Every structure is written in C-alpha cells, then in structure tokens.
Amino acid sequence: MAPFTTIYRSFVEQAERRPDKALFELPDGQRITYRETAETVRRTAARLVADGVTPGDRVAVQVEKSPEAIALYLATLRIGGVFLPLNTAYTGAEMEYFIGDARPRVLVCSPDRLADHVHRAEQGLVVETLGTTGDGTLLDGDGDGDGDGDGDGDRDRDGNGNGRHAKVFDASADDPAAILYTSGTTGRSKGAVLSHGNLASNCRALLEAWEYTAEDRLIHALPIFHIHGLFVAVNMTLTAGASMYYLPKFDAGTIADLLPGATVLMGVPTFYTRLLKNDRLTQEACASMRLFVSGSAPLLASDHQAFEARTGHAILERYGMTETGMNTTNPYTGGPRKPGTVGIPLPGTEIRVVDGATGRPLPDGEVGSIEVRGPNVFTGYWQLPEKTAAEFREDGFFITGDLGRIDEDGYLRIVGRGKDLVISGGYNIYPKEIEELLDAHPTVRESAVIGVPHPDFGETVVAVVVPAPDQQPQEAELLDFVAKDLARFKHPRTVRVVDALPRNVMGKVQKAELRKRYADLFAGADA
Ligand code: MCA
Ligand code: AMP
C-alpha cells in the first residue's frame, strides 16, 4: 500500500516542484505563487503555535475569502490543529454556540468583527484577526510570533524560548483535521469530525475520477467554509499543482469573463441557473473548458439539458455530504452523465439503498435510505458518541438521511430526503432551528418551516404559523424577531398564518402536505 500522504504534505510537494507557479489568480490580476503561499503557511503556523495551539486544538475561523485564509487552513493542518471554518453570515448568537461547543484555542475573525469577540479573550481564547488583504493581527509583525524575524516562531506565547517550533505534525490517517458543523433535525448543530485520511482519500478519488491535473485552471467562486469550496475545490487544486481564479463570490458576469481562460468550474445549481441567464454563456466562450461540476443540491434536469444545448457541455453532477465528503459522481469518461442522477460511487466508496426501518438492502430500482461506507466517511460527531453510533449500522455503513434508488445503469438517483432539511442556493437550513425561534414569539402558538421551490435558490424557506389565542401574528414583526439570531440565508422569505397545521393520525405535522399547498408561491418570482 502506498504510504499515507496528508493534504498538507501533498501541497508542500507541489510547492517544491513548482514554486513559481500561480496557485491563486485574483480579480485585480495579482498572482500568488505556491512559494508565496508556502511562506504564508509557515508564518501563520508559527503564529498559531505562539498562540498556544497544540495538536488536537481547534482553530475556529470566520473570515472573508482570501488567499491568506487558505494559508491559515494549511497552517492549521501543518501543526496538527483542527480547522473549524464558520459561515461568515453567522450571527453573534450562532457563533456563541459554535465556540461554546467546540472550545477552540484560537478564533480568527474579520477585523471588523473583533469587537464582537474581544470579551472571549478573558475566557482564555486567543482572538486573532484576518482581513481580505492579509491585514489583521494574524500576520502582523514578523509573522512568527517570536519577534526575531526568522519566521520560525521558536518561542511560545509566554516568550520563554522553550522551543515550540511550528514543526510539521506527523499526522496519521485517523488524526482529526477539521470539524464542520452540520445542523441536526433535532436540537443543535453537530460538529462532524473529519480526519486527515478522510480529506486525503476523498481528494485522491476525485483527482482520479475527474482527471484533474496541474494543467487545470479552476474558476473558484464558492465560499471556503464548506466541503464543496474547501475540501473539493481547494484541496484538489493545491494537491494537483493546479491554479485557480479565486473570486470573492459568485458573479455570472465575472465567470463569463473568465471562462475563455479556464478549464473547470465547480458550483451549486444556482450558479448554473444564473449562468444560463447570461448571454455571454456560449459554446465559443467555453472552448477551453473541459468540466463543469454541480453539487450540494439537486440540479434541475431542465437546466442540465439547457446548459448542454447552449455550451455543448454536459454538467457533471455529484453527491456529497459534510459527514462524508463526496460519495458518488457521474462519469468524466466512459459513460453518459445522466440528468437527474448523481452517478456511481467514487473509487473506494460503497453505496447501498436499504429499507430504512430494517436496514435490509433493497433490489435496484426500489426507493430506500441511502447508506455509504468508505475512507471518506467521517470519524464521528464532536463529543457526541451516542449520536454518532445512532447514525451508523453495525457493518460500518453511515445512514445519510437521503432517499434514493439505483437505476438500471447502476446510477444513484436521489429522490428525496428522509431528514427535514431545506437546501437554499446550496446552503443547508434546518427547519427546527427556525421553528424554535418562531414558537418563542408571544403571538405564535406553533409553527412549521418548509422549503418550497424557488427559481433562483432551488428551494427557499417559508414559515407557516398558527396564532396563539386572540393573537394576530404579523409577518414583518416575526421576521424581525428571528433576524437577530439567524444568518440571513436562513430567514423565511414569507410567513403564512393558518388556523391549524395539517397532522396525521399520530399527530405528526404533515410537512409534505404544506409543501404541496405552497409549492407555487415563488413560481413566477424573479430569479
Ligand atoms: C445569499 N443569500 C441567500 C443565499 N445566499 N439566501 C438564501 N440562500 C442562499 N444560498 C441572501 C443574501 O444574503 C441576500 O440577502 C439575498 O439572499 C440575495 O443575495 P444574492 O446576492 O442573490 O446572493 P449571492 O451572494 O449571489 O449568493 C447566492 C449563492 C451563494 C451564489 C448561491 O449562496 C453561494 O455561493 N452558495 C454556495 C453555498 C455552498 O458552497 N454550498 C456547499 C455546502 P439580502 O436580501 O439581505 O440582500 S454543502 C456541501 O459542501 C456538501 C458537502 C456538498 O455536497 O457540496
Ligand atoms: P450538507 O449537510 O451541507 O453536507 O449537505 C448534504 C446534503 O446535500 C445531502 O445529504 C443531500 O441531501 C444534499 N445534496 C448534496 N449533493 C446533492 C446532489 N447532487 N443532489 C441532490 N442533493 C444533494
């Protein structure tokens, strides 16, 4: 068996092999090479060590997208820290929970949000800042935290010179590399602990499946606090020795400008819905492109077909989860990319469809619960051994909570979700969190939050509320009430007031019935 190589070591190998190659190409034309990135990684690692980070310590990060944020990720891996990226849209209340649960050693935030977090320094947390141009405390001074300017960070935080070098941690496949929070259907978010082995094996499988090489130039317009933008797009690029056009966010016009110089785009379905509205998306503009990838939410078969008709490219759809990284992919070569399917298992990964109640495997063609096993599957939920155990079968298969069937060609089709989840523009939203807030409002007796079709975001959030006795809930007031605690993308787009929620004989709210009732709410909406 080949020796285990971490993402960090693969990056270092590429940096040694092609130091002057651009890893990042920024919108202002600036190029940042592998060598420069490696240097920033080293400085950042030394700073983290000086801040007291030791192997296993969490480094929580809520910063805007920048090349230095990627260096911070690699620096954390280098020293054996556990990288904990957080959505920049999270509010103070949401951050309070994540920090309380994960108890990081260091929190790196945007300079403009420092005031929200200074008080945490008193609780023993080291708060650093990092702005979009590398500004902030993380990289100030000589950058190694020991003041001698040699970049080795060879003193610890107390300055006692006892030699806490930012040495490369000799990570094994099982050591934790990252925690990504994924909301639960009940209660609060759970931290999925991903190991170095999870990240490296999934990255290798994707490089092979999509024939991704140093020749590739990726358009990177995804956020970097999720699996898709960080562990698929970035990991693949920096371990292959490739380059990326690194954009602060998705913008269809900017992508159209870059397509002629690029080879690969990775996006959520909303990217493709929006690109199809842009006249500059043509076959000629895509002449150098070899691959368009979609994932994180279902791609409409009609968008798949329209994109192929317009550009000559069949979008490659794949299927993943925070807990598992990528599981399946449509073929790059050797078979059709079938609209409405997510393809076949990646090398090394097993997929099965079972009867959810008994765990009994179902024949192909029958709809059941999708389960996955392989080196990509996470090690467990952070400090929740019972919840972890409940989501695994005895033979090691992980229960995804998605429903699907295997078609006649062995391709997986996701037909629904067993879990109560809304996916809006690729962001996951768990209704329970919003319902709990709405239920706390004095004019509300109870609520049900659902996802309904939306022409731009795929799905969007609708709140259905039942008034408390003698009360008349007001939409604006309810939206204001939840706004302070919820990231913007979780805000309901409308509130409907009803006399009662539909229930089955067991008393369970029939969300499917509500989804049907409000299915056309945004049908004519401007995307
Ligand atoms: C922004 N807003 C949203 C969303 N994004 N609301 C609902 N859902 C969203 N996804 C808010 C904005 O704050 C804004 O609020 C308003 O909606 C309209 O913003 P707009 O400018 O249209 O949005 P945008 O900034 O262009 O962003 C849309 C986006 C973005 C490009 C689709 O959300 C995005 O990049 N999504 C990708 C998410 C992702 O990476 N998912 C992967 C995670 P206001 O009304 O105040 O203006 S899942 C994963 O990793 C798994 C493992 C997997 O399989 O990949
Ligand atoms: P997350 O919890 O953010 O990791 O989101 C994972 C969920 O996104 C999966 O369990 C699926 O429900 C959904 N998902 C990811 N990729 C696809 C896809 N290509 N088609 C349909 N659903 C998807």
Side-chain angles (χ1 to χ4, degrees):
M1 220 171 84
F4 170 67
T5 307
T6 60
I7 294 290
Y8 175 73
R9 287 206 187 271
S10 297
F11 160 70
V12 170
E13 280 166 22
Q14 293 297 353
E16 283 166 0
R17 218 164 128 191
R18 43 187 116 244
D20 297 320
K21 178 166 181 176
L23 170 54
F24 300 95
E25 298 199 28
L26 304 182
D28 64 2
Q30 203 189 335
R31 299 167 76 249
I32 297 174
T33 63
Y34 273 82
R35 186 207 314 272
E36 287 163 333
T37 306
E39 170 56 22
T40 310
V41 171
R42 210 166 51 79
R43 285 178 60 192
T44 310
R47 180 66 172 228
L48 293 176
V49 170
D51 284 344
V53 177
T54 56
D57 283 347
R58 278 75 59 211
V59 176
V61 176
Q62 188 191 34
V63 297
E64 297 298 334
K65 199 170 167 181
S66 70
E68 290 79 8
I70 298 300
L72 170 57
Y73 156 61
L74 288 167
T76 305
L77 296 188
R78 171 179 161 125
I79 62 170
V82 180
F83 192 68
L84 167 46
L86 293 157
N87 193 324
T88 46
Y90 287 148
T91 62
E94 287 163 323
M95 288 297 288
E96 198 67 41
Y97 170 74
F98 294 122
I99 291 169
D101 190 60
R103 287 177 293 99
R105 183 78 189 91
V106 172
L107 166 68
V108 185
C109 67
S110 299
D112 62 351
R113 289 187 76 168
L114 178 62
D116 299 347
H117 299 296
V118 271
H119 68 282
R120 299 188 200 283
E122 286 151 31
Q123 300 156 6
L125 181 76
V126 180
V127 182
E128 298 274 17
T129 59
L130 177 65
T132 50
T133 55
D135 51 312
T137 59
L138 188 71
L139 288 163
D140 69 5
D142 65 24
D144 71 358
D146 65 358
D148 64 7
D150 66 358
D152 67 357
D154 58 3
R155 279 192 300 174
D156 65 11
R157 203 145 195 273
D158 310 324
N160 61 13
N162 281 341
R164 281 200 209 165
H165 294 267
K167 288 258 165 59
V168 178
F169 176 70
D170 190 16
S172 76
D174 294 335
D175 283 319
I179 296 181
L180 270 77
Y181 274 85
T182 164
S183 302
T185 41
T186 53
R188 302 305 301 259
S189 289
K190 297 170 286 190
V193 183
L194 295 157
S195 66
H196 285 267
N198 293 148
L199 303 191
S201 68
N202 208 222
C203 182
R204 234 186 350 257
L206 290 167
L207 292 174
E208 185 186 323
W210 298 346
E211 299 183 15
Y212 198 86
T213 70
E215 302 300 308
D216 277 308
R217 291 181 310 284
L218 172 75
I219 301 178
H220 192 301
L222 287 161
I224 52 167
F225 39 72
H226 281 303
I227 299 270
H228 197 165
L230 189 59
F231 297 152
V232 181
V234 169
N235 278 357
M236 287 177 72
T237 301
L238 50 77
T239 59
S243 298
M244 55 190 163
Y245 293 116
Y246 191 68
L247 306 175
K249 59 172 285 199
F250 175 84
D251 176 72
T254 311
I255 306 257
D257 291 340
L258 293 175
L259 281 171
T263 63
V264 178
L265 174 69
M266 298 181 192
V268 295
T270 301
F271 280 25
Y272 296 103
T273 309
R274 290 185 182 183
L275 277 172
L276 278 165
K277 293 199 166 65
N278 192 297
D279 292 341
R280 289 192 289 137
L281 179 78
T282 59
Q283 191 144 7
E284 299 73 58
C286 298
S288 67
M289 290 294 291
R290 67 172 188 87
L291 178 61
F292 290 89
V293 178
S294 179
S296 310
L299 177 72
L300 288 174
S302 55
D303 278 355
H304 186 288
Q305 282 142 1
F307 200 90
E308 186 164 12
R310 180 94 78 85
T311 65
H313 287 273
I315 298 170
L316 180 151
E317 188 168 5
R318 70 10 170 223
Y319 162 55
M321 275 187 84
T322 299
E323 288 92 334
T324 63
M326 299 303 106
N327 295 315
T328 68
T329 177
N330 268 277
Y332 178 64
T333 52
R337 297 179 198 161
K338 298 209 293 183
T341 79
V342 292
I344 56 172
L346 281 163
T349 297
E350 296 167 83
I351 291 278
R352 70 183 182 193
V353 172
V354 306
D355 177 321
T358 62
R360 185 178 55 83
L362 294 172
D364 286 357
E366 283 189 31
V367 172
S369 158
I370 303 172
E371 300 189 346
V372 54
R373 183 168 70 179
N376 54 315
V377 177
F378 75 138
T379 57
Y381 294 112
W382 170 248
Q383 292 188 327
L384 293 171
E386 281 159 26
K387 285 218 164 79
T388 303
E391 313 253 345
F392 279 90
R393 302 275 179 203
E394 268 176 14
D395 57 4
F397 272 86
F398 173 66
I399 305 165
T400 63
D402 291 314
L403 303 175
R405 68 179 166 84
I406 308 280
D407 78 5
E408 60 286 357
D409 297 321
Y411 285 43
L412 180 66
R413 276 179 191 269
I414 300 174
V415 299
R417 298 178 203 131
K419 53 196 174 191
D420 192 14
L421 164 70
V422 181
I423 306 184
S424 167
Y427 284 141
N428 283 9
I429 300 160
Y430 279 86
K432 182 92 184 162
E433 190 183 359
I434 307 169
E435 289 161 1
E436 279 174 1
L437 286 171
L438 289 169
D439 292 352
H441 193 273
T443 66
V444 173
R445 195 174 96 198
E446 62 173 349
S447 62
V449 166
I450 53 168
V452 302
H454 187 275
D456 185 35
F457 288 129
E459 286 179 347
T460 198
V461 178
V462 170
V464 184
V465 301
V466 177
D470 305 323
Q471 298 292 329
Q472 287 181 321
Q474 301 298 314
E475 179 172 40
E477 192 183 319
L478 290 182
L479 292 179
D480 250 19
F481 183 70
V482 298
K484 63 180 190 316
D485 290 332
L486 287 180
R488 174 76 185 102
F489 68 89
K490 299 179 188 170
H491 294 188
R493 294 290 152 136
T494 186
V495 178
R496 299 283 134 152
V497 181
V498 297
D499 291 339
L501 297 174
R503 291 181 189 277
N504 66 10
V505 283
M506 309 291 289
K508 189 171 182 286
V509 175
Q510 296 301 84
K511 288 204 169 175
E513 162 61 31
L514 286 175
R515 280 193 287 267
K516 215 186 296 166
R517 195 184 297 173
Y518 296 113
D520 294 331
L521 221 44
F522 293 91
D526 224 2

